Amino acid sequence: MSTIKIADALSGILPEGLSVRITAYDGSAAGPQDAEIGIELRSERGLRYLLTAPGDLGMARAWVAGDLTGTGFHPGNIYPLLDLMSSTDRWRIPTAREALELVRGLGWEHLNPPPPPPQEHLPRWRRVMEGLRHSRARDAEVIHHHYDVSNRFYEMVLGPSMTYTCAVYPTADATLEQAQEHKYDLIARKLDLQPGQRLLDVGCGWGGMVRHAAKHYGVKALGVTLSREQADWAKLAIDREGLGDLAEVRFMDYRDVAEGDFDAISSIGLTEHIGIQNYPAYFASLHDKLKPHGRLLNHCITRDHNRPTRTGAFIDRYIFPDGELTGAGTVIAKLQDAGLEFQHAENFRTHYAKTLAGWVDNLVEHWDECVAEVGEGTARLWGLYLVGSRIGFERNDVQLTQVLATKTTDDGTSGYPLRHTF
């Protein structure tokens, strides 16, 4: 039988002075009674999640399963809680002796780990059965895990643009849809797209860039994605907009595209899935598909440093299995090593924070519909993920970098003007 009250145990690891009220299923409570933010541990299973997977993974499991809830915020937007909890570096890390006393006081029976929520992917060590990291089979499986949730769910969260990448806000008061349109147009201008040219968009998602290039620039655009649901949705959108003579989306690995001599290539949000050790082959492949003087625009999440880092346990198990990030310097270096000439780079970190806030607003607005579509656990998962990502961009833990490069010929000509024209 427990000798320590659960709320007291949880409050012991929170930063001192944090205005959060904690309540637990054993009837215990801790923290200021007038706190605007509250955390409630609703079940013994939730406690077992927290004790058997300390850190973000255990909290995510308890949150997704509904064993951990709160007050003072919407379940689709827990920004008030996560912002408060991440705004301090005063977390109490128990010593080994303190941790032992804590578990002894709560009861050894709580160290029996419950099955994780169904939304959780296999741990890294078990994914070997799906193939080596970033093999074709394993890449296809992890893309399916994240992107083939439900097209209707994505329509509600992403909005009419169906664009799941960082928007670029022309003004602070621009809407999410205006910012996504501006992003696509900025990329088109950076690539200097002209009527009659050919564009390859790798990792094309629901075909937003493909359709924009075809509709507004008269470009013959081909997009490829490893998500069958994305490809099916994109094909319907292309037909609906009457763009079938210019735009095409294929359910295909970018490495299997047989065509070459493209005037331009856009890669918007694919590099995060490639694996840092595969950057040389990735950029070499894109280099080979470009015609001389062709342009490449690479748009991806980066770190604020150039040390290769894997994502944390929560992101790896629930969002982007096998995901890896590094800094813009590494991206540019590998791009140069593949024979491409670097022309321009830009960091849109703060724009991604605004984009994520917009997606969270959409999730909250359509909460009941989202829960009906994918279940409450998945809806709660996305609220946690989107808010946590927003805070990461706000705190400069992650950035968003666009890099523009050309396939410069051996005689040194690149086709690039003296000054940028975009």
Side-chain angles (χ1 to χ4, degrees):
M1 185 172 178
S2 301
T3 60
I4 297 178
K5 295 296 184 182
I6 294 173
D8 291 335
L10 294 179
S11 67
I13 63 172
L14 291 179
E16 292 183 9
L18 194 65
S19 184
V20 174
R21 179 70 170 173
I22 301 173
T23 56
Y25 64 90
D26 65 347
S28 61
Q33 292 188 8
D34 60 349
E36 295 183 0
I37 303 296
I39 301 174
E40 180 185 0
L41 185 62
R42 303 178 65 183
S43 71
E44 190 265 347
R45 182 181 62 178
L47 178 61
R48 288 161 61 199
Y49 278 139
L50 297 179
L51 292 178
T52 57
D56 63 345
L57 182 58
M59 292 188 66
R61 287 172 172 170
W63 176 259
V64 171
D67 299 320
L68 189 66
T69 61
T71 58
F73 51 86
H74 189 280
N77 184 6
I78 62 172
Y79 184 84
L81 174 63
L82 289 193
D83 182 54
L84 183 65
M85 295 178 69
S86 63
S87 64
T88 176
D89 58 1
R90 301 179 309 231
W91 282 89
R92 276 261 302 119
I93 306 299
T95 65
R97 183 182 182 86
E98 289 173 331
L100 180 62
E101 291 299 320
L102 179 64
V103 173
R104 180 182 291 131
L106 289 172
W108 295 104
E109 68 275 10
H110 299 309
L111 290 183
N112 179 28
Q119 294 83 0
E120 185 169 320
H121 198 65
L122 294 171
R124 289 188 179 106
W125 65 270
R126 286 191 57 192
R127 288 180 214 149
V128 294
M129 298 186 67
E130 299 172 1
L132 296 175
R133 292 180 70 245
H134 299 297
S135 66
R136 289 176 183 244
R138 188 156 153 180
D139 280 352
E141 170 57 29
V142 298
I143 292 297
H144 166 74
H145 172 81
H146 187 70
Y147 292 98
D148 291 343
V149 176
S150 158
N151 280 336
R152 177 59 190 142
F153 174 76
Y154 279 112
E155 287 172 347
M156 290 184 282
V157 174
L158 302 181
S161 73
M162 278 296 272
T163 300
Y164 187 28
T165 48
C166 175
V168 176
Y169 286 78
T171 60
D173 60 350
T175 67
L176 175 61
E177 290 303 307
Q178 290 170 336
Q180 292 292 15
E181 179 83 2
H182 185 74
K183 183 265 300 292
Y184 284 135
D185 205 66
L186 176 62
I187 291 173
R189 287 182 281 118
K190 285 183 175 182
L191 291 172
D192 194 30
L193 296 181
Q194 302 296 327
Q197 288 186 336
R198 295 171 62 241
L199 167 72
L200 172 63
D201 185 36
V202 295
C204 69
W206 291 271
M209 183 65 204
V210 167
R211 288 180 286 118
H212 185 93
K215 182 188 301 183
H216 298 288
Y217 288 85
V219 168
K220 192 169 181 61
L222 168 63
V224 292
T225 173
L226 279 176
S227 166
R228 185 179 294 278
E229 289 201 21
Q230 286 182 336
D232 290 345
W233 192 98
K235 291 172 185 176
L236 291 175
I238 288 170
D239 292 341
R240 185 171 60 247
E241 297 176 28
L243 298 171
D245 58 332
L246 289 175
E248 179 186 2
V249 168
R250 299 176 189 166
F251 172 54
M252 174 184 283
D253 192 302
Y254 77 95
R255 290 164 285 197
D256 293 331
V257 174
E259 296 94 329
D261 287 335
F262 288 95
D263 297 280
I265 296 176
S266 52
S267 177
I268 309 172
L270 174 63
T271 315
E272 298 90 333
H273 301 287
I274 294 296
I276 298 168
Q277 75 276 15
N278 294 323
Y279 282 7
Y282 163 68
F283 284 118
S285 174
L286 300 187
H287 172 276
D288 292 346
K289 286 178 169 53
L290 279 172
K291 64 171 50 176
H293 301 170
R295 296 189 185 187
L296 166 67
L297 189 288
N298 197 84
H299 168 120
C300 69
I301 300 172
T302 50
R303 288 288 187 192
D304 63 331
H305 56 75
N306 284 284
R307 299 181 298 277
T309 54
R310 293 185 181 181
T311 56
F314 163 62
I315 294 294
D316 183 69
R317 298 282 189 95
Y318 283 89
I319 308 299
F320 292 119
D322 293 342
E324 292 179 294
L325 297 176
T326 187
T330 300
V331 173
I332 293 172
K334 298 303 181 184
L335 178 150
Q336 290 175 313
D337 290 345
L340 293 157
E341 182 180 7
F342 161 65
Q343 298 289 354
H344 181 268
E346 199 166 358
N347 178 9
F348 290 108
R349 174 179 67 83
T350 55
H351 293 254
Y352 216 158
K354 282 178 65 66
T355 303
L356 287 153
W359 291 338
V360 169
D361 288 343
N362 287 342
L363 176 63
V364 171
E365 180 181 352
H366 300 285
W367 181 254
D368 291 341
E369 296 171 89
C370 287
V371 169
E373 179 69 21
V374 298
E376 186 173 357
T378 298
R380 289 169 66 88
L381 165 63
W382 274 77
L384 173 63
Y385 153 58
L386 294 176
V387 167
S389 297
R390 173 188 171 182
I391 291 172
F393 283 99
E394 288 179 341
R395 304 285 160 81
N396 196 28
D397 293 328
V398 279
Q399 302 175 343
L400 190 288
T401 306
Q402 280 190 1
V403 178
L404 179 63
T406 54
K407 184 174 180 176
T408 300
T409 55
D410 292 341
D411 63 1
T413 59
S414 66
Y416 204 80
L418 287 174
R419 293 295 301 152
H420 310 303
T421 58
F422 49 84

